Each structure stands twice: as C-alpha cells, then as structure tokens.
Amino acid sequence: MIERQFSSAITEEPTDEKRVFDLRLALEKDIEACDIKWSLFVAAAQSYRYHSRLNPYPPKYAIKEKSEYDIDRIRLTISNVPPIRQLIRQIKNKDKSLNEDVLDLVHWVVCSKSFPTLRSIAKQEFELTLKKVDYITPVSVPTHIFEVVSQPNSPAETKFRQHAENRNKLYAFHGSKIDSFYSIVNFGLQQHLCKTALFGNGIYLSSEMHVSLSFSPIGTGWKSSLNGTELSCIALCEFVDHPQHLKCHLKDQQPNERKNDQHIPDKYFVITNNDIVRVRYLLIFAKSPDKSMQIYRNSVINWIYNNKSVAAMIFYAIILLSVGLANSRTGQYFRQMFWQKAQRFISDLISKYFLL
C-alpha cells in the first residue's frame, strides 16, 4: 500500500527558482493554511505511529527500494524549520543560510499538486460553515476552520459524484487524534483504519460535534506554529445518503431507504463505503501559541525558548557563582565599598534637603 501511494505522489521536480517562487507565493497567499498543513505533517512524523500516520511520505527520504523511509532524517529536517514568518523573510532576502533540505521538505508538503490544498475560512463565515450540520448540544467555537479543496476531477471526487446522483447529501462530524489528520486530508477517511467498531465495521460520523470531540484529544503539533502548538481537530464531512452503504438509527423506516440498525445510537452514522464520504472542512481547536515563541527577531530570546533546560543550567551556575563570590574576601570588600558609598549618598541627601 505504501508503494502505491508513493508512486502516486511522484511529480516532475521543479527547478530551484520555481520551487522557491511557488513556496513564497503559497505562504504569502494563506499563511495560516500552510502553517496548519505543515503542523499536521509534523504531528504525523513525530507520532510513535508514524508508520501508518506519515502517509504519503516525501520521496526524497525513501530507503530500501521505496518500501520504507528515513524517519530520523525527516525529524532532523523538521527540527531545522524556522517559524513560517521567519521562513518567508529568509526567502525574500535570499538568505544563503537557509537549509536546502528545509526548502525541499516544506515545499513538498505545502505545494504538492498531488494532494488537496487547505483554505482559511474567515471568522465571519464560521457560523455559516457550522450550520451545515444541525447539531443541538452547544460546544466551544473552533479557533480555526479550513476548507479542504480537492482537485475537481480527482478519482475520489468523481466516484463521490457518481454515488451522489439523484441522492441527498448530508454533513456530519468525524473525530480522530491529531496525528491521523495528515493522512486523512490526503487520502480521505478509510474504514479499514477506523479501529473503533462498537457498532460494526465502517467510518463513524455524528451529527453532534461534542460526540466527535470526545474522540479528538488535544495533541502536540508543531512547536513554532502560528495556530497553536497543542491542537484538537475534527473533520466536517459530506456524505451521500446511500441505502446500501449507510447505517443509522431510524424511528420510522420506509422501503428502499437507508439501513436501519437499532443498535446504532441516535445521531450516529456508520458508512461502509469509503467512496461516499469526503472531508470538506477541518475544525481546529487550538491553545493560544506562546507569545515568546513569536518574538523570533530576538535571537537571544528565541535561543532561550528553544533551549530551556540549557538556559536553566546556565542561570543556576550564575547563581552559584554569585553566592561564591559574595562569600569570598573580594566579594566582602566590594560589598563594604558599596555600603559605604550608599551611606555617604544617603547622608548627603538628608543634609541637603531635610536639614536646615
């Protein structure tokens, strides 16, 4: 399966100049969408389940006849990627210190034409987007919403349209861990990867957002993300009301309608065909990014943020050195000199302003 997906990801290599131009254009056009796409890739790469989550993987890192990839090298490159705004500035300034592997990897993730793109939804459009599902239980509003824009003539979209002919299309939510969404965005929901099968095999959706959120715990994304380093994500999916491939609980069932399963709870949908469901939006619930992380122009602060343990050891060493110096003869001499000057200054101040 990895080999099949690897081969589908191969595209003609762009020239260095075109690659830099395309990356800068994409970052400047929708920086938050590029940031979240990269964050999902990082979450998959850093996951202990990377073998199944980091799919597709960058061809440049393939080993052993393209059946595996060098995860350590991928993670090393990820660690060298600067914050997105800093990356844009380095590209503009043609900074020669910018790592070539960094450019290659970020370009592959953000600009690949083989995979869907993401588009930021404006805050004022959130309500309209969420109204696609008539959920009842109130929940927190997502911090970000991104539309998943697939190629109109892709095989997956073509199959979906074929199944949707003369049938209704509905919307519902799907929850999963943050490290799963890189693969989900690129290949859609796959029922063989859905491990929770309380009510039979299939893709589980719900018309209640809080139900899907319970399957989407907060996870770690990219430490330099504009959108937040700790993320929870649920997918807003469009699916076909198909009589053979959709199971749900119905109070009243008419002939030739969806499969009725009394064991499936109300507000749940179980889909048994990958082709009748498509991810249309990603709802992101993020903790606010650390403000100190955004002060990347100050190299000292940026170094301290990225090397907290080393900075703490240096600070502790300075304290020990200060204490040792204070107890030495030299330290006592300087302390006496300081107090003498302080007493003389205070005495002069009192005599000048308070004594007649």
Side-chain angles (χ1 to χ4, degrees), residues 312-326:
M313 292 177 64
I314 293 173
F315 181 67
Y316 181 66
I318 291 173
I319 292 176
L320 292 178
L321 184 62
S322 301
V323 172
L325 183 63

Side-chain angles (χ1 to χ4, degrees), residues 193-244:
L193 295 177
C194 296
K195 302 302 182 183
T196 303
L198 296 176
F199 310 107
N201 294 327
I203 298 166
Y204 282 66
L205 306 179
S206 176
S207 57
E208 287 296 325
M209 192 191 300
H210 79 277
V211 172
S212 296
L213 275 172
S214 66
F215 293 95
S216 301
I218 292 286
T220 303
W222 181 39
K223 68 178 183 179
S224 300
S225 173
L226 294 169
N227 300 306
T229 58
E230 296 183 340
L231 309 171
S232 173
C233 180
I234 62 176
L236 177 53
C237 306
E238 184 180 22
F239 63 99
V240 178
D241 189 357
H242 198 290
Q244 278 78 45

Side-chain angles (χ1 to χ4, degrees), residues 1-20:
M1 180 175 180
I2 291 179
E3 290 181 325
R4 178 180 61 82
Q5 292 171 345
F6 171 83
S7 62
S8 66
I10 297 177
T11 56
E12 185 180 348
E13 279 294 318
T15 63
D16 289 343
E17 289 186 3
K18 187 177 187 306
R19 180 185 57 192
V20 172

